[in-house]
Amino acid sequence: MARNRTAPEDYSRPLRRLLVWLAVLMLLGLFILWRIDSPRVERFRAALVDAVVPNFDWAMAPVTAVAGMIDDFQSYTRIYEQNQELKRELQQMKAWKEAALQLEQKNARLLDLNKVRLDPKLTYVTGVVMADSGSPFRQSVLLNVGARDGIRDGWATMDGIGLVGRISGVGPRTSRVILVTDSNSRIPVTIQPSGQKALLSGDNSPLPPLEFIEDTDEVRPGDRVVTSGDGAVFPAGLLVGQVALGTDKRLRVVLAADYQRLEFLRVLRSHELEPITDPGSLVAPPAGQPLPDGSTGAAEAAAGAPPTATEGGNVEAAGSGDAEGPVTEAGDG
């Protein structure tokens, strides 16, 4: 008679079913226990938690370690981002440092230029720039000062450092300023230290060219350009800018005025020129002859005096024959 042998699976399968049912019943009991609202059950739950949870520290250790690793990784990510941000700020600080050095050098130059004093008779009126032309073919701005403030055509305007332009058109309350860069602008200038005379011609570009230079070999980039005062267009000695060599190999001027930020302009009151009312005064009188008295009293006295006979003769006083002089008869040879 053959002996029956049972496989191990015949015992393990019912055991697994039993353990599953026990786990389900235990979880169901815990669920019901946690859902019961009773003071006694509440005290029991608290006692159960105090007794069981401390013994599960070993089970929480891996979870705690993983949570710490996640926090460390997030902290490392934040540190990396902060490092990149600090690098960008360092690059910006280097740029700001270079800009600060340039401003320091510019400030030193301006302080040196401020030692140069203009004619003390030159006073000024300060105006606010209200608008500009906004056209590439016309470089001009509008000021809020006009005829009521004593502004006149042709007066020079500055931004406190360099020449900006001249007044061209005056209204009761406003005035128009033609900038140095305008194509209609022509300014006689002197190049220092060589003393060469030239004409600054606007061409609607930020760097107007120098024309009609007496000797270009005496001019170097970096030379100072000031107004010459020729033709009484502008007062002499006003700072215009510095000589530079343009891309077209022409000598141009880097303007000292900041045309990107024209907010306030000074209108210089130039010296008044005496108008010529008598064209005859342009001709000098003969040597030894006294100058005629052109006053009003002398004119009235001359008008009330009786007429006198002159070499040319007076018709009423001496007659026509005396006025015409002696006449030679035809028979007198």
Side-chain angles (χ1 to χ4, degrees), residues 196-228:
Q196 299 293 316
K197 298 295 183 65
L199 190 67
L200 181 65
S201 302
D203 59 351
N204 293 329
S205 69
L207 303 177
L210 289 170
E211 297 179 349
F212 306 108
I213 304 176
E214 296 176 342
D215 189 359
T216 56
D217 296 335
E218 298 292 332
V219 181
R220 298 289 185 273
D223 290 351
R224 197 162 174 261
V225 180
V226 297
T227 55
S228 64

PDB file of all heavy atoms in Angstrom, residues 196-228:
ATOM      1  N   GLN A 196      44.037 126.786 -32.739  1.00  0.00           N
ATOM      2  CA  GLN A 196      43.535 126.746 -34.107  1.00  0.00           C
ATOM      3  C   GLN A 196      42.063 127.132 -34.148  1.00  0.00           C
ATOM      4  O   GLN A 196      41.278 126.714 -33.308  1.00  0.00           O
ATOM      5  CB  GLN A 196      43.724 125.345 -34.699  1.00  0.00           C
ATOM      6  CG  GLN A 196      45.165 124.888 -34.785  1.00  0.00           C
ATOM      7  CD  GLN A 196      45.951 125.713 -35.777  1.00  0.00           C
ATOM      8  OE1 GLN A 196      45.473 125.991 -36.872  1.00  0.00           O
ATOM      9  NE2 GLN A 196      47.159 126.117 -35.389  1.00  0.00           N
ATOM     10  N   LYS A 197      41.711 127.933 -35.153  1.00  0.00           N
ATOM     11  CA  LYS A 197      40.323 128.339 -35.345  1.00  0.00           C
ATOM     12  C   LYS A 197      39.645 127.334 -36.279  1.00  0.00           C
ATOM     13  O   LYS A 197      40.267 126.808 -37.212  1.00  0.00           O
ATOM     14  CB  LYS A 197      40.231 129.744 -35.928  1.00  0.00           C
ATOM     15  CG  LYS A 197      40.819 130.822 -35.050  1.00  0.00           C
ATOM     16  CD  LYS A 197      40.024 130.970 -33.751  1.00  0.00           C
ATOM     17  CE  LYS A 197      40.561 132.109 -32.898  1.00  0.00           C
ATOM     18  NZ  LYS A 197      40.386 133.426 -33.532  1.00  0.00           N
ATOM     19  N   ALA A 198      38.364 127.077 -36.022  1.00  0.00           N
ATOM     20  CA  ALA A 198      37.604 126.145 -36.845  1.00  0.00           C
ATOM     21  C   ALA A 198      36.130 126.504 -36.753  1.00  0.00           C
ATOM     22  O   ALA A 198      35.729 127.412 -36.027  1.00  0.00           O
ATOM     23  CB  ALA A 198      37.841 124.695 -36.408  1.00  0.00           C
ATOM     24  N   LEU A 199      35.342 125.779 -37.515  1.00  0.00           N
ATOM     25  CA  LEU A 199      33.890 125.961 -37.528  1.00  0.00           C
ATOM     26  C   LEU A 199      33.242 124.627 -37.178  1.00  0.00           C
ATOM     27  O   LEU A 199      33.482 123.617 -37.846  1.00  0.00           O
ATOM     28  CB  LEU A 199      33.415 126.433 -38.899  1.00  0.00           C
ATOM     29  CG  LEU A 199      31.949 126.890 -38.982  1.00  0.00           C
ATOM     30  CD1 LEU A 199      31.741 128.160 -38.186  1.00  0.00           C
ATOM     31  CD2 LEU A 199      31.546 127.103 -40.434  1.00  0.00           C
ATOM     32  N   LEU A 200      32.436 124.627 -36.107  1.00  0.00           N
ATOM     33  CA  LEU A 200      31.710 123.430 -35.691  1.00  0.00           C
ATOM     34  C   LEU A 200      30.371 123.394 -36.416  1.00  0.00           C
ATOM     35  O   LEU A 200      29.515 124.258 -36.198  1.00  0.00           O
ATOM     36  CB  LEU A 200      31.505 123.428 -34.176  1.00  0.00           C
ATOM     37  CG  LEU A 200      30.788 122.212 -33.596  1.00  0.00           C
ATOM     38  CD1 LEU A 200      31.633 120.960 -33.792  1.00  0.00           C
ATOM     39  CD2 LEU A 200      30.500 122.413 -32.101  1.00  0.00           C
ATOM     40  N   SER A 201      30.193 122.399 -37.275  1.00  0.00           N
ATOM     41  CA  SER A 201      28.989 122.298 -38.110  1.00  0.00           C
ATOM     42  C   SER A 201      28.160 121.110 -37.656  1.00  0.00           C
ATOM     43  O   SER A 201      28.656 119.973 -37.616  1.00  0.00           O
ATOM     44  CB  SER A 201      29.368 122.144 -39.588  1.00  0.00           C
ATOM     45  OG  SER A 201      30.155 123.234 -40.015  1.00  0.00           O
ATOM     46  N   GLY A 202      26.921 121.355 -37.329  1.00  0.00           N
ATOM     47  CA  GLY A 202      26.028 120.267 -36.952  1.00  0.00           C
ATOM     48  C   GLY A 202      25.600 119.447 -38.153  1.00  0.00           C
ATOM     49  O   GLY A 202      25.410 119.990 -39.252  1.00  0.00           O
ATOM     50  N   ASP A 203      25.474 118.140 -37.950  1.00  0.00           N
ATOM     51  CA  ASP A 203      25.013 117.257 -39.028  1.00  0.00           C
ATOM     52  C   ASP A 203      23.996 116.243 -38.509  1.00  0.00           C
ATOM     53  O   ASP A 203      23.894 115.137 -39.039  1.00  0.00           O
ATOM     54  CB  ASP A 203      26.199 116.528 -39.667  1.00  0.00           C
ATOM     55  CG  ASP A 203      26.971 115.687 -38.663  1.00  0.00           C
ATOM     56  OD1 ASP A 203      26.691 115.800 -37.451  1.00  0.00           O
ATOM     57  OD2 ASP A 203      27.845 114.906 -39.085  1.00  0.00           O
ATOM     58  N   ASN A 204      23.258 116.609 -37.456  1.00  0.00           N
ATOM     59  CA  ASN A 204      22.227 115.739 -36.863  1.00  0.00           C
ATOM     60  C   ASN A 204      22.800 114.451 -36.295  1.00  0.00           C
ATOM     61  O   ASN A 204      22.089 113.449 -36.190  1.00  0.00           O
ATOM     62  CB  ASN A 204      21.127 115.410 -37.883  1.00  0.00           C
ATOM     63  CG  ASN A 204      20.311 116.621 -38.280  1.00  0.00           C
ATOM     64  OD1 ASN A 204      20.123 117.541 -37.486  1.00  0.00           O
ATOM     65  ND2 ASN A 204      19.841 116.650 -39.507  1.00  0.00           N
ATOM     66  N   SER A 205      24.065 114.459 -35.938  1.00  0.00           N
ATOM     67  CA  SER A 205      24.702 113.298 -35.315  1.00  0.00           C
ATOM     68  C   SER A 205      25.229 113.709 -33.941  1.00  0.00           C
ATOM     69  O   SER A 205      25.450 114.899 -33.694  1.00  0.00           O
ATOM     70  CB  SER A 205      25.848 112.763 -36.182  1.00  0.00           C
ATOM     71  OG  SER A 205      26.923 113.682 -36.203  1.00  0.00           O
ATOM     72  N   PRO A 206      25.447 112.746 -33.039  1.00  0.00           N
ATOM     73  CA  PRO A 206      25.943 113.105 -31.701  1.00  0.00           C
ATOM     74  C   PRO A 206      27.345 113.704 -31.716  1.00  0.00           C
ATOM     75  O   PRO A 206      27.730 114.355 -30.742  1.00  0.00           O
ATOM     76  CB  PRO A 206      25.920 111.772 -30.941  1.00  0.00           C
ATOM     77  CG  PRO A 206      24.986 110.891 -31.713  1.00  0.00           C
ATOM     78  CD  PRO A 206      25.110 111.322 -33.132  1.00  0.00           C
ATOM     79  N   LEU A 207      28.112 113.478 -32.795  1.00  0.00           N
ATOM     80  CA  LEU A 207      29.485 113.982 -32.884  1.00  0.00           C
ATOM     81  C   LEU A 207      29.586 114.915 -34.082  1.00  0.00           C
ATOM     82  O   LEU A 207      29.889 114.479 -35.206  1.00  0.00           O
ATOM     83  CB  LEU A 207      30.482 112.823 -33.020  1.00  0.00           C
ATOM     84  CG  LEU A 207      30.464 111.768 -31.912  1.00  0.00           C
ATOM     85  CD1 LEU A 207      31.436 110.655 -32.229  1.00  0.00           C
ATOM     86  CD2 LEU A 207      30.805 112.404 -30.573  1.00  0.00           C
ATOM     87  N   PRO A 208      29.331 116.213 -33.911  1.00  0.00           N
ATOM     88  CA  PRO A 208      29.419 117.138 -35.037  1.00  0.00           C
ATOM     89  C   PRO A 208      30.867 117.298 -35.500  1.00  0.00           C
ATOM     90  O   PRO A 208      31.803 117.260 -34.696  1.00  0.00           O
ATOM     91  CB  PRO A 208      28.862 118.447 -34.465  1.00  0.00           C
ATOM     92  CG  PRO A 208      29.040 118.332 -32.997  1.00  0.00           C
ATOM     93  CD  PRO A 208      28.913 116.879 -32.667  1.00  0.00           C
ATOM     94  N   PRO A 209      31.091 117.489 -36.806  1.00  0.00           N
ATOM     95  CA  PRO A 209      32.458 117.594 -37.329  1.00  0.00           C
ATOM     96  C   PRO A 209      33.009 119.013 -37.223  1.00  0.00           C
ATOM     97  O   PRO A 209      32.271 119.993 -37.093  1.00  0.00           O
ATOM     98  CB  PRO A 209      32.292 117.174 -38.794  1.00  0.00           C
ATOM     99  CG  PRO A 209      30.890 117.590 -39.123  1.00  0.00           C
ATOM    100  CD  PRO A 209      30.081 117.424 -37.861  1.00  0.00           C
ATOM    101  N   LEU A 210      34.347 119.093 -37.293  1.00  0.00           N
ATOM    102  CA  LEU A 210      35.063 120.369 -37.342  1.00  0.00           C
ATOM    103  C   LEU A 210      35.449 120.641 -38.787  1.00  0.00           C
ATOM    104  O   LEU A 210      36.036 119.788 -39.465  1.00  0.00           O
ATOM    105  CB  LEU A 210      36.308 120.323 -36.455  1.00  0.00           C
ATOM    106  CG  LEU A 210      36.076 120.309 -34.950  1.00  0.00           C
ATOM    107  CD1 LEU A 210      37.373 120.028 -34.216  1.00  0.00           C
ATOM    108  CD2 LEU A 210      35.488 121.627 -34.479  1.00  0.00           C
ATOM    109  N   GLU A 211      35.157 121.849 -39.250  1.00  0.00           N
ATOM    110  CA  GLU A 211      35.455 122.225 -40.626  1.00  0.00           C
ATOM    111  C   GLU A 211      36.304 123.488 -40.642  1.00  0.00           C
ATOM    112  O   GLU A 211      36.325 124.262 -39.672  1.00  0.00           O
ATOM    113  CB  GLU A 211      34.162 122.444 -41.419  1.00  0.00           C
ATOM    114  CG  GLU A 211      33.289 121.195 -41.550  1.00  0.00           C
ATOM    115  CD  GLU A 211      32.017 121.456 -42.317  1.00  0.00           C
ATOM    116  OE1 GLU A 211      31.717 122.645 -42.571  1.00  0.00           O
ATOM    117  OE2 GLU A 211      31.316 120.479 -42.655  1.00  0.00           O
ATOM    118  N   PHE A 212      36.997 123.682 -41.781  1.00  0.00           N
ATOM    119  CA  PHE A 212      37.809 124.872 -42.023  1.00  0.00           C
ATOM    120  C   PHE A 212      38.858 125.078 -40.921  1.00  0.00           C
ATOM    121  O   PHE A 212      39.062 126.189 -40.433  1.00  0.00           O
ATOM    122  CB  PHE A 212      36.929 126.123 -42.148  1.00  0.00           C
ATOM    123  CG  PHE A 212      35.847 126.000 -43.168  1.00  0.00           C
ATOM    124  CD1 PHE A 212      34.524 125.877 -42.783  1.00  0.00           C
ATOM    125  CD2 PHE A 212      36.140 125.973 -44.523  1.00  0.00           C
ATOM    126  CE1 PHE A 212      33.519 125.742 -43.727  1.00  0.00           C
ATOM    127  CE2 PHE A 212      35.142 125.841 -45.471  1.00  0.00           C
ATOM    128  CZ  PHE A 212      33.835 125.728 -45.071  1.00  0.00           C
ATOM    129  N   ILE A 213      39.518 123.983 -40.535  1.00  0.00           N
ATOM    130  CA  ILE A 213      40.588 124.080 -39.548  1.00  0.00           C
ATOM    131  C   ILE A 213      41.809 124.692 -40.226  1.00  0.00           C
ATOM    132  O   ILE A 213      42.177 124.317 -41.350  1.00  0.00           O
ATOM    133  CB  ILE A 213      40.922 122.700 -38.956  1.00  0.00           C
ATOM    134  CG1 ILE A 213      39.652 122.071 -38.359  1.00  0.00           C
ATOM    135  CG2 ILE A 213      42.002 122.796 -37.908  1.00  0.00           C
ATOM    136  CD1 ILE A 213      39.863 120.669 -37.843  1.00  0.00           C
ATOM    137  N   GLU A 214      42.446 125.637 -39.535  1.00  0.00           N
ATOM    138  CA  GLU A 214      43.589 126.316 -40.131  1.00  0.00           C
ATOM    139  C   GLU A 214      44.734 125.339 -40.427  1.00  0.00           C
ATOM    140  O   GLU A 214      45.263 125.315 -41.532  1.00  0.00           O
ATOM    141  CB  GLU A 214      44.072 127.419 -39.181  1.00  0.00           C
ATOM    142  CG  GLU A 214      43.050 128.526 -38.967  1.00  0.00           C
ATOM    143  CD  GLU A 214      43.520 129.545 -37.962  1.00  0.00           C
ATOM    144  OE1 GLU A 214      44.443 129.249 -37.179  1.00  0.00           O
ATOM    145  OE2 GLU A 214      42.958 130.655 -37.947  1.00  0.00           O
ATOM    146  N   ASP A 215      45.107 124.534 -39.444  1.00  0.00           N
ATOM    147  CA  ASP A 215      46.194 123.574 -39.615  1.00  0.00           C
ATOM    148  C   ASP A 215      45.812 122.297 -38.874  1.00  0.00           C
ATOM    149  O   ASP A 215      45.882 122.240 -37.641  1.00  0.00           O
ATOM    150  CB  ASP A 215      47.509 124.136 -39.072  1.00  0.00           C
ATOM    151  CG  ASP A 215      48.703 123.248 -39.427  1.00  0.00           C
ATOM    152  OD1 ASP A 215      48.487 122.196 -40.087  1.00  0.00           O
ATOM    153  OD2 ASP A 215      49.833 123.592 -39.045  1.00  0.00           O
ATOM    154  N   THR A 216      45.403 121.288 -39.600  1.00  0.00           N
ATOM    155  CA  THR A 216      44.958 120.051 -38.970  1.00  0.00           C
ATOM    156  C   THR A 216      46.096 119.293 -38.299  1.00  0.00           C
ATOM    157  O   THR A 216      45.844 118.476 -37.409  1.00  0.00           O
ATOM    158  CB  THR A 216      44.310 119.136 -40.032  1.00  0.00           C
ATOM    159  OG1 THR A 216      45.240 118.903 -41.095  1.00  0.00           O
ATOM    160  CG2 THR A 216      43.046 119.772 -40.586  1.00  0.00           C
ATOM    161  N   ASP A 217      47.341 119.557 -38.704  1.00  0.00           N
ATOM    162  CA  ASP A 217      48.472 118.863 -38.070  1.00  0.00           C
ATOM    163  C   ASP A 217      48.674 119.298 -36.628  1.00  0.00           C
ATOM    164  O   ASP A 217      49.313 118.578 -35.853  1.00  0.00           O
ATOM    165  CB  ASP A 217      49.758 119.117 -38.870  1.00  0.00           C
ATOM    166  CG  ASP A 217      49.691 118.522 -40.274  1.00  0.00           C
ATOM    167  OD1 ASP A 217      48.910 117.557 -40.447  1.00  0.00           O
ATOM    168  OD2 ASP A 217      50.375 119.028 -41.172  1.00  0.00           O
ATOM    169  N   GLU A 218      48.152 120.451 -36.260  1.00  0.00           N
ATOM    170  CA  GLU A 218      48.306 120.951 -34.900  1.00  0.00           C
ATOM    171  C   GLU A 218      47.201 120.452 -33.966  1.00  0.00           C
ATOM    172  O   GLU A 218      47.232 120.730 -32.769  1.00  0.00           O
ATOM    173  CB  GLU A 218      48.300 122.484 -34.891  1.00  0.00           C
ATOM    174  CG  GLU A 218      49.437 123.114 -35.675  1.00  0.00           C
ATOM    175  CD  GLU A 218      50.788 122.855 -35.017  1.00  0.00           C
ATOM    176  OE1 GLU A 218      50.804 122.693 -33.781  1.00  0.00           O
ATOM    177  OE2 GLU A 218      51.801 122.802 -35.744  1.00  0.00           O
ATOM    178  N   VAL A 219      46.227 119.748 -34.513  1.00  0.00           N
ATOM    179  CA  VAL A 219      45.080 119.299 -33.714  1.00  0.00           C
ATOM    180  C   VAL A 219      45.250 117.825 -33.395  1.00  0.00           C
ATOM    181  O   VAL A 219      45.589 117.020 -34.269  1.00  0.00           O
ATOM    182  CB  VAL A 219      43.760 119.551 -34.472  1.00  0.00           C
ATOM    183  CG1 VAL A 219      42.568 119.103 -33.636  1.00  0.00           C
ATOM    184  CG2 VAL A 219      43.638 121.029 -34.819  1.00  0.00           C
ATOM    185  N   ARG A 220      44.996 117.475 -32.148  1.00  0.00           N
ATOM    186  CA  ARG A 220      45.110 116.097 -31.683  1.00  0.00           C
ATOM    187  C   ARG A 220      43.814 115.684 -31.000  1.00  0.00           C
ATOM    188  O   ARG A 220      43.136 116.515 -30.391  1.00  0.00           O
ATOM    189  CB  ARG A 220      46.268 115.954 -30.692  1.00  0.00           C
ATOM    190  CG  ARG A 220      47.636 116.275 -31.263  1.00  0.00           C
ATOM    191  CD  ARG A 220      48.088 115.206 -32.233  1.00  0.00           C
ATOM    192  NE  ARG A 220      49.448 115.451 -32.708  1.00  0.00           N
ATOM    193  CZ  ARG A 220      49.759 116.203 -33.754  1.00  0.00           C
ATOM    194  NH1 ARG A 220      48.772 116.778 -34.451  1.00  0.00           N
ATOM    195  NH2 ARG A 220      51.005 116.376 -34.129  1.00  0.00           N
ATOM    196  N   PRO A 221      43.436 114.393 -31.103  1.00  0.00           N
ATOM    197  CA  PRO A 221      42.267 113.926 -30.328  1.00  0.00           C
ATOM    198  C   PRO A 221      42.476 114.155 -28.843  1.00  0.00           C
ATOM    199  O   PRO A 221      43.551 113.891 -28.290  1.00  0.00           O
ATOM    200  CB  PRO A 221      42.208 112.431 -30.669  1.00  0.00           C
ATOM    201  CG  PRO A 221      42.875 112.312 -32.002  1.00  0.00           C
ATOM    202  CD  PRO A 221      43.971 113.341 -31.994  1.00  0.00           C
ATOM    203  N   GLY A 222      41.448 114.648 -28.200  1.00  0.00           N
ATOM    204  CA  GLY A 222      41.524 114.987 -26.789  1.00  0.00           C
ATOM    205  C   GLY A 222      41.709 116.463 -26.527  1.00  0.00           C
ATOM    206  O   GLY A 222      41.599 116.907 -25.373  1.00  0.00           O
ATOM    207  N   ASP A 223      42.004 117.255 -27.578  1.00  0.00           N
ATOM    208  CA  ASP A 223      42.141 118.701 -27.392  1.00  0.00           C
ATOM    209  C   ASP A 223      40.810 119.321 -26.995  1.00  0.00           C
ATOM    210  O   ASP A 223      39.741 118.849 -27.377  1.00  0.00           O
ATOM    211  CB  ASP A 223      42.655 119.362 -28.676  1.00  0.00           C
ATOM    212  CG  ASP A 223      44.109 119.019 -28.955  1.00  0.00           C
ATOM    213  OD1 ASP A 223      44.749 118.420 -28.063  1.00  0.00           O
ATOM    214  OD2 ASP A 223      44.596 119.341 -30.060  1.00  0.00           O
ATOM    215  N   ARG A 224      40.908 120.375 -26.234  1.00  0.00           N
ATOM    216  CA  ARG A 224      39.718 121.057 -25.714  1.00  0.00           C
ATOM    217  C   ARG A 224      39.178 122.027 -26.768  1.00  0.00           C
ATOM    218  O   ARG A 224      39.944 122.730 -27.423  1.00  0.00           O
ATOM    219  CB  ARG A 224      40.097 121.810 -24.435  1.00  0.00           C
ATOM    220  CG  ARG A 224      38.938 122.239 -23.567  1.00  0.00           C
ATOM    221  CD  ARG A 224      39.463 122.545 -22.172  1.00  0.00           C
ATOM    222  NE  ARG A 224      38.442 123.089 -21.310  1.00  0.00           N
ATOM    223  CZ  ARG A 224      38.292 124.380 -21.053  1.00  0.00           C
ATOM    224  NH1 ARG A 224      39.138 125.248 -21.587  1.00  0.00           N
ATOM    225  NH2 ARG A 224      37.337 124.808 -20.259  1.00  0.00           N
ATOM    226  N   VAL A 225      37.855 122.062 -26.920  1.00  0.00           N
ATOM    227  CA  VAL A 225      37.196 122.930 -27.895  1.00  0.00           C
ATOM    228  C   VAL A 225      36.313 123.914 -27.139  1.00  0.00           C
ATOM    229  O   VAL A 225      35.456 123.509 -26.337  1.00  0.00           O
ATOM    230  CB  VAL A 225      36.355 122.112 -28.897  1.00  0.00           C
ATOM    231  CG1 VAL A 225      35.680 123.032 -29.899  1.00  0.00           C
ATOM    232  CG2 VAL A 225      37.227 121.092 -29.605  1.00  0.00           C
ATOM    233  N   VAL A 226      36.547 125.216 -27.380  1.00  0.00           N
ATOM    234  CA  VAL A 226      35.750 126.273 -26.751  1.00  0.00           C
ATOM    235  C   VAL A 226      35.295 127.232 -27.842  1.00  0.00           C
ATOM    236  O   VAL A 226      35.837 127.243 -28.955  1.00  0.00           O
ATOM    237  CB  VAL A 226      36.561 127.032 -25.669  1.00  0.00           C
ATOM    238  CG1 VAL A 226      36.957 126.100 -24.531  1.00  0.00           C
ATOM    239  CG2 VAL A 226      37.805 127.675 -26.273  1.00  0.00           C
ATOM    240  N   THR A 227      34.296 128.047 -27.504  1.00  0.00           N
ATOM    241  CA  THR A 227      33.824 129.051 -28.455  1.00  0.00           C
ATOM    242  C   THR A 227      34.881 130.144 -28.610  1.00  0.00           C
ATOM    243  O   THR A 227      35.547 130.532 -27.654  1.00  0.00           O
ATOM    244  CB  THR A 227      32.506 129.657 -27.980  1.00  0.00           C
ATOM    245  OG1 THR A 227      32.669 130.177 -26.655  1.00  0.00           O
ATOM    246  CG2 THR A 227      31.405 128.608 -27.961  1.00  0.00           C
ATOM    247  N   SER A 228      35.026 130.640 -29.836  1.00  0.00           N
ATOM    248  CA  SER A 228      36.033 131.672 -30.105  1.00  0.00           C
ATOM    249  C   SER A 228      35.504 133.082 -29.922  1.00  0.00           C
ATOM    250  O   SER A 228      36.285 134.017 -29.723  1.00  0.00           O
ATOM    251  CB  SER A 228      36.559 131.503 -31.533  1.00  0.00           C
ATOM    252  OG  SER A 228      35.515 131.718 -32.478  1.00  0.00           O
TER     253      SER A 228
END
